[in-house]
Amino acid sequence: MSDYKYIRWFNETDKHDIPLVGGKGANLGELVQHKIAVPPGFCVTSDAYKDFILMSNLSDDIAAIIGSIQFEDTTDLQIKSSRIRDLIIDCVVPAVISSEIERAYEEFSDSIGISDPEIAVRSSATAEDLPDASFAGQQDTYLNVFGSSNVVEYVKKCWASLWTARAVYYREQKGFDHFEVSLSAIVQKMVNSEKAGVMFTINPVTHNADEIMINANWGLGESVVSGAVTPDDYTVNKSSLKVTEKHIADKVSMVIRNKSRLGTVEVSVAEFLGYDKISSECLTDEEVLELAKSGIEIEGIYGAPQDIEWAFDIDTKSLYILQARPVTALSEKGYRPAESKPASQKLNVLVKGLGASPGISFGKVVKIKDMSELSKVRHGDILVAAMTNPDMVPAMRMAAAVVTDEGGRTCHAAIVSRELGIPCIVSAKNATQVLIEGQEVTVDATRGIVYEGRVELETKQQAPEMAAAPAPAVAIDDTLSRLAPITGTKIYMNLGEPEMMEKYKNLPFDGIGLMRIEFIFSNMIGAHPMYLVKTGQEDFFIDKLAEGVSTVAQAAFPRPVVVRFSDFRTNEFRGLKGGNEVEPVENNPMIGWRGVARYTSPEYEQGFRLECRALKKARDEFGLTNIYAMLPFVRTTWEVEKAKAIMASEGLVQDSSFKIWIMAEVPSVVFAADEFAQLVDGFSIGSNDLTQLIMGADRDSGILSRMGYFEERAMYVKRAIQILIDATHRHGKTISICGQAPSLYPEFTEFLVDAGMDSISVNPDTVEYTRRLVASTEQKIILNKLRGI
């Protein structure tokens, strides 16, 4: 035994030392005792943490804060747990403890023959990694730390992480005494990882004890553990050591050490390793076999299934086991030893893609190559296509789910599926080749996976800050609206299909922030406006469009309904009857003849006038004065003035009862926001197109989406949004947002509220969720201002 009071080397510990070195430290010691290749290191014992708290006189202060926490109040829990961590960080580690940590680091450096080696400082709670408690991931790990003084500081940060909000809440819920749980810090040599990941010695999905599941990515394992990347996935049969399933992901990012040596940084795989590595397999067959054998050996040591972190060193090409812990709560999950042959369902993954409209559906595959095959789709089928277009909407309405080879989360298939409330997976790459006509499959669009056959999948809701928005039931009682929280930020709803209004009319929304009339064009009219002008069927167009808009406005009355004039691109307009006769072929329709440029051109002005007459009819004949108008894809101030003049000549005069909004989708609107604000009553930010044009990334590109270029939460986009908000408010006008980002990303919604957005328009399936999120965010802002934070 060494002469240290607060230090234990790995070879001095085993599974009986949990009270002293925590679950992680004890497991590492046990592995070393059994000659498993573990990066060398030592443990700063839990006694060091206890004596630090005692010598720093922190116990009473921590106890007082813990006693005042409202544990079900997320804001209160976050603020007060942060206060405890600050108390710890602000204290100096007593010399009697810090000198031992520094001396052990220097002795460790000498033992491996490296001066100031890079190490990982990992937290190891004394109740962590136990079969009946899952503390894993609640405390912090720090990578690529070097230098004796830095080691001391990061050990102290590990101590502080015992008091994160999630760790405090977990202990409270599980009945652990907060002062009975201590923390040891693991100081371990950093592996220069070429590839790394996690391994379960039981299938964590099916709980089949005869299967090992391995996840791998390039670089450090942090990207896999944190869920920041979709890793390569291997399933290995323990008995035969054969790979039974293999799914190679597009691994667009990886984590490496920072160039400054301290800490880590996320980088692009394409830029760091080369584009070919994105879709290349991480592990060789030999490496998979070596991992599987190590997993079986480690499971044998502990006599129970293990969750193992591993890495292959780039210098030695050797495998290192970074840590091992029991897979927790197996009894609750129905775990049985392999020999009992559990009757668990087989999950055979067929294809993977991007989940674009969440939900799970089961049905038979129907593959669509062109419009002539739409009639094949029956109610409950799974529609599979390279990509959808507006002509496919009738078939999509019958489908139980949609899967496409191409596209991003803002492509046509994604938007329409969210509108219809059906699951959708895009960017599946080879779905049309892999999936077989008539094959029964389960589409899990929450995770972006298509399984063979009918499988039962759990869809537990996650914690509020992590949760995907829950979908509403088909029938929604108006009790929901009455019980919904009041928000200062208006919650609007996006809608396109008029008949869907009956389903969603009782949701707690303040108005329709975006009514797309393209659905009416495709489903109720079916012909190009200029074709109808040419054939003398103008009244048919006006009546049908007015009917569709009125259906929504009547159900929403007196809440406002912002109707966006048509925003088909030329390739989409050609799909309507007569479209081929009047629409040009453009190389880039996305930034071509669309929006106000179309309305003010001689080639379409008469079609725009029909749209104006339809809105006027809905307002005048049906008394629906809650109908407002919105001009899409605005580029210049002069075109807005010209469009307004056309509208006025058709009786749509901008005044206190008839508002005209514009879409803010083109950067020119951002740069001239003050000038535009003086022309209209409001802005609605189309975050899809705005992101596309700011980032120079095609919103329909599955490749760019997977690589992270199309990112509505990017700082460049958020800065543009802030400019628009500030300019709008300077002129006393209103501003909303109707892109997909608020429906998908809770943290983006929080940014919008904090930035001063007047209203947020989201998909029907996220209205209730967004209202709760906005209410919580508004309360947090008010509390922070009252507290002077």
Side-chain angles (χ1 to χ4, degrees):
M1 190 70 66
S2 63
D3 61 348
Y4 290 96
K5 179 180 180 181
Y6 298 114
I7 302 297
R8 283 286 190 92
W9 301 94
F10 289 166
N11 61 6
E12 297 175 330
T13 63
D14 58 28
K15 61 186 177 184
H16 303 295
D17 291 317
I18 291 175
L20 190 64
V21 297
K24 194 173 289 139
N27 286 339
L28 286 170
E30 191 73 18
L31 293 174
V32 169
Q33 301 285 357
H34 285 84
K35 312 302 182 187
I36 300 295
V38 170
F42 58 90
C43 305
V44 181
T45 67
S46 60
D47 288 343
Y49 167 77
K50 293 173 185 175
D51 286 357
F52 165 77
I53 296 294
L54 183 65
M55 294 176 189
S56 303
N57 298 313
L58 293 176
S59 297
D60 291 344
D61 290 339
I62 293 174
I65 296 172
I66 285 291
S68 70
I69 293 177
Q70 303 289 327
F71 284 95
E72 298 306 325
D73 182 335
T74 304
T75 301
D76 191 61
L77 177 62
Q78 292 281 356
I79 291 172
K80 290 177 179 175
S81 60
S82 176
R83 200 173 296 163
I84 295 174
R85 295 196 302 278
D86 290 342
L87 286 176
I88 294 173
I89 294 296
D90 290 343
C91 286
V92 176
V93 178
V96 66
I97 300 174
S98 63
S99 61
E100 281 209 358
I101 296 173
E102 291 178 351
R103 180 159 65 94
Y105 176 72
E106 290 165 3
E107 184 178 336
F108 167 73
S109 302
D110 292 341
S111 70
I112 62 175
I114 302 175
S115 177
D116 280 349
E118 294 173 346
I119 51 96
V121 184
R122 304 177 187 273
S123 305
S124 180
T126 56
E128 183 182 31
D129 298 343
L130 301 179
D132 58 348
S134 181
F135 278 61
Q138 291 182 9
Q139 286 80 48
D140 291 340
T141 292
Y142 299 96
L143 305 178
N144 294 97
V145 178
F146 64 95
S148 56
S149 61
N150 280 330
V151 174
V152 173
E153 284 303 306
Y154 280 95
V155 166
K156 184 171 65 173
K157 288 184 178 182
C158 281
W159 291 340
S161 73
L162 188 63
W163 299 97
T164 61
R166 63 184 181 273
V168 171
Y169 184 82
Y170 182 86
R171 290 196 296 268
E172 187 71 16
Q173 291 295 303
K174 292 293 184 180
F176 285 94
D177 186 324
H178 294 283
F179 293 94
E180 289 297 320
V181 178
S182 298
L183 191 137
S184 169
I186 310 300
V187 177
Q188 188 176 24
K189 182 184 181 299
M190 276 295 300
V191 174
N192 188 13
S193 300
E194 176 187 16
K195 57 193 78 169
V198 296
M199 168 170 56
F200 288 86
T201 63
I202 181 176
N203 189 313
V205 179
T206 65
H207 312 131
N208 185 345
D210 198 37
E211 289 184 337
I212 294 173
M213 184 171 285
I214 300 169
N215 287 166
N217 189 29
W218 303 112
L220 300 174
E222 182 182 337
S223 63
V224 178
V225 175
S226 67
V229 69
T230 301
D232 289 350
D233 185 287
Y234 303 83
T235 302
V236 182
N237 182 276
K238 282 183 184 174
S239 303
S240 65
L241 290 179
K242 300 291 185 184
V243 176
T244 57
E245 287 188 43
K246 180 193 297 186
H247 302 286
I248 307 306
D250 283 340
K251 302 167 289 297
V252 298
S253 64
M254 60 188 289
V255 174
I256 62 171
R257 73 173 192 174
N258 202 326
K259 288 183 179 179
S260 68
R261 291 184 67 197
L262 194 61
T264 62
V265 62
E266 184 176 321
V267 299
S268 162
V269 169
E271 293 178 5
F272 193 76
L273 297 178
Y275 188 81
D276 62 308
K277 292 294 185 181
I278 290 177
S279 55
S280 294
E281 191 171 344
C282 271
L283 299 173
T284 64
D285 293 343
E286 292 76 14
E287 288 168 338
V288 172
L289 180 61
E290 184 179 2
L291 274 167
K293 287 180 176 179
S294 295
I296 293 170
E297 183 179 0
I298 294 168
E299 183 180 77
I301 292 170
Y302 290 103
Q306 297 291 299
D307 171 0
I308 300 164
E309 292 183 27
W310 55 269
F312 279 97
D313 184 75
I314 197 169
D315 301 318
T316 65
K317 305 299 182 185
S318 298
L319 169 65
Y320 284 99
I321 301 302
L322 307 182
Q323 62 173 292
R325 56 174 170 258
V327 180
T328 57
L330 285 173
S331 59
E332 297 176 11
K333 296 174 182 176
Y335 166 72
R336 303 181 185 87
E339 59 269 21
S340 68
K341 301 295 183 185
S344 58
Q345 58 185 339
K346 172 70 173 177
L347 291 181
N348 182 21
V349 176
L350 299 176
V351 295
K352 292 183 178 181
L354 297 173
S357 177
I360 298 172
S361 286
F362 164 82
K364 293 183 178 180
V365 170
V366 174
K367 295 195 283 188
I368 301 298
K369 295 179 181 178
D370 54 47
M371 300 306 102
S372 66
E373 297 183 327
L374 291 182
S375 60
K376 291 164 47 179
V377 180
R378 297 288 183 265
H379 284 287
D381 287 341
I382 306 299
L383 192 159
V384 178
M387 177 45 64
T388 65
N389 60 50
D391 283 337
M392 292 186 178
V393 171
M396 293 174 71
R397 291 175 60 193
M398 291 191 291
V402 173
V403 181
T404 67
D405 289 344
E406 304 297 334
R409 287 193 173 101
T410 62
C411 68
H412 176 269
I415 292 173
V416 173
S417 295
R418 287 190 290 263
E419 181 79 36
L420 297 174
I422 60 174
C424 175
I425 295 174
V426 299
S427 193
K429 295 190 290 190
N430 59 352
T432 54
Q433 299 172 18
V434 174
L435 301 181
I436 302 169
E437 188 81 13
Q439 180 181 23
E440 293 185 330
V441 299
T442 298
V443 176
D444 179 358
T446 303
R447 300 169 182 85
I449 300 173
V450 179
Y451 297 98
E452 181 180 13
R454 183 167 196 159
V455 297
E456 300 297 327
L457 300 170
E458 293 184 8
T459 55
K460 289 183 180 179
Q461 186 172 326
Q462 298 167 302
E465 65 268 23
M466 300 285 289
V474 173
I476 304 166
D477 190 88
D478 62 1
T479 305
L480 190 62
S481 294
R482 294 197 300 269
L483 295 179
I486 303 299
T487 60
T489 308
K490 292 186 183 299
I491 307 302
Y492 288 157
M493 184 170 74
N494 301 332
L495 197 73
E497 279 214 79
E499 67 182 54
M500 299 299 292
M501 189 62 184
E502 181 63 29
K503 176 180 178 181
Y504 298 126
K505 66 181 181 182
N506 290 321
L507 281 171
F509 62 91
D510 298 310
I512 304 297
L514 171 64
M515 182 180 177
R516 308 181 188 93
I517 63 173
E518 291 80 13
F519 287 88
I520 302 175
F521 274 50
S522 298
N523 300 342
M524 296 178 66
I525 299 172
H528 195 289
M530 294 308 296
Y531 170 79
L532 296 176
V533 170
K534 180 180 176 182
T535 56
Q537 299 182 70
E538 295 96 328
D539 289 344
F540 169 76
F541 177 90
I542 294 168
D543 291 345
K544 285 296 182 183
L545 183 53
E547 176 188 337
V549 171
S550 298
T551 298
V552 176
Q554 284 171 342
F557 194 87
R559 294 168 292 184
V561 174
V562 183
V563 179
R564 185 183 69 183
F565 288 116
S566 63
D567 193 28
F568 273 145
R569 301 187 287 269
T570 49
N571 58 320
E572 295 169 327
F573 257 127
R574 280 201 306 278
L576 298 175
K577 184 178 180 180
N580 284 327
E581 301 175 18
V582 294
E583 290 292 328
V585 176
E586 293 184 303
N587 290 329
N588 195 345
M590 185 70 78
I591 54 174
W593 188 38
R594 59 180 290 201
V596 185
R598 172 179 287 272
Y599 311 151
T600 57
S601 62
E603 293 84 356
Y604 190 80
E605 183 181 328
Q606 289 304 311
F608 178 53
R609 288 184 178 276
L610 296 185
E611 294 183 37
C612 292
R613 291 171 196 167
L615 259 63
K616 180 172 172 54
K617 177 172 182 171
R619 282 176 56 86
D620 292 354
E621 293 189 16
F622 302 110
L624 298 171
T625 54
N626 58 329
I627 295 174
Y628 300 163
M630 183 149 67
L631 298 167
F633 215 76
V634 169
R635 294 175 169 102
T636 69
T637 53
W638 58 260
E639 68 177 356
V640 172
E641 293 173 334
K642 190 171 180 180
K644 286 173 60 179
I646 295 173
M647 293 171 66
S649 70
E650 294 294 342
L652 292 179
V653 180
Q654 183 181 15
D655 57 26
S656 59
S657 68
F658 178 65
K659 308 295 185 184
I660 298 178
W661 290 19
I662 62 169
M663 293 286 291
E665 302 166 286
V666 180
S668 58
V669 176
V670 178
F671 298 137
D674 288 288
E675 289 79 3
F676 280 103
Q678 297 174 60
L679 293 174
V680 296
D681 299 292
F683 291 83
S684 184
I685 297 171
S687 60
N688 298 342
D689 274 325
L690 186 62
T691 301
Q692 171 177 246
L693 295 173
I694 287 177
M695 302 301 297
D698 181 357
R699 55 188 271 192
D700 287 345
S701 170
I703 294 175
L704 292 181
S705 251
R706 290 192 296 272
M707 294 179 70
Y709 284 102
F710 187 87
E711 177 52 80
E712 294 150 297
R713 296 166 293 178
M715 65 176 179
Y716 324 101
V717 181
K718 291 166 80 171
R719 286 178 185 174
I721 290 172
Q722 189 68 69
I723 290 170
L724 287 165
I725 291 172
D726 294 343
T728 305
H729 291 167
R730 274 196 297 272
H731 297 279
K733 304 299 174 67
T734 188
I735 185 164
S736 185
I737 184 167
C738 62
Q740 297 306 131
S743 298
L744 298 174
Y745 309 120
E747 72 275 18
F748 188 73
T749 301
E750 292 182 1
F751 155 73
L752 295 173
V753 175
D754 195 42
M757 187 67 68
D758 296 312
S759 59
I760 298 174
S761 194
V762 296
N763 297 328
D765 61 343
T766 59
V767 167
E768 183 191 4
Y769 170 77
T770 302
R771 182 171 285 279
R772 293 198 308 270
L773 177 63
V774 168
S776 173
T777 302
E778 290 178 344
Q779 291 170 17
K780 187 189 301 182
I781 292 170
I782 293 169
L783 284 171
N784 286 344
K785 287 183 178 178
L786 289 174
R787 293 166 175 153
I789 297 176

